[in-house]
Amino acid sequence: QVQLVESGGGLVQAGGSLRLSCAASGRTFSTYVMGWFRQAPGKEREFVARISWSGGNTQYRDSVKGRFTISRDNTKNTVYLQMNSLKPEDTAIYYCAARESSYVVYKYWGQGTQVTVSS
């Protein structure tokens, strides 16, 4: 069982930065693929970024490439999402998720953290 707790959300002006953190419980954190997703009001949840268990492989949705960076510290059981050059369209609830490397579906989810970008 893995429990995920996000933090770091808030209100920021367009062009600003935020760093989200996701703290995970469990001794198997280092074996999981970690992902960030977001859901804006009235929209479906969408993939933002993911990182392999080792941190050596990352993937991003096109709209955040070059602005967002996902990273992890397996010694701290934490995954991060550094968000720069934020835009109003980045406004959403951001969720951290975890899955085993051999699975496609993310099994564990956090409660989410609100990110609001004002224009």
Side-chain angles (χ1 to χ4, degrees):
Q1 188 76 10
V2 176
Q3 291 184 325
L4 305 173
V5 179
E6 302 97 333
S7 62
L11 174 64
V12 64
Q13 289 188 334
S17 298
L18 282 175
R19 188 195 197 200
L20 305 184
S21 299
C22 173
S25 65
R27 294 175 292 177
T28 58
F29 171 80
S30 62
T31 67
Y32 283 90
V33 173
M34 300 299 298
W36 285 97
F37 294 76
R38 66 188 182 187
Q39 186 168 19
K43 295 187 177 181
E44 293 190 352
R45 186 167 56 194
E46 63 184 19
F47 166 80
V48 175
R50 70 155 179 84
I51 187 167
S52 61
W53 65 271
S54 67
N57 186 286
T58 58
Q59 185 179 9
Y60 300 89
R61 71 178 299 105
D62 287 346
S63 62
V64 307
K65 285 181 181 177
R67 300 189 297 123
F68 290 11
T69 302
I70 188 171
S71 62
R72 68 190 296 163
D73 185 340
N74 287 342
T75 66
K76 297 181 178 180
N77 280 14
T78 302
V79 63
Y80 305 97
L81 185 67
Q82 178 67 44
M83 304 185 295
N84 299 328
S85 301
L86 283 161
K87 304 175 180 180
E89 52 263 42
D90 294 318
T91 295
I93 299 174
Y94 283 71
Y95 297 92
C96 172
R99 64 172 173 87
E100 297 179 12
S101 298
S102 57
Y103 287 81
V104 177
V105 176
Y106 286 83
K107 183 177 182 180
Y108 303 104
W109 292 84
Q111 83 290 348
T113 186
Q114 177 70 49
V115 172
T116 303
V117 185
S118 62
S119 58

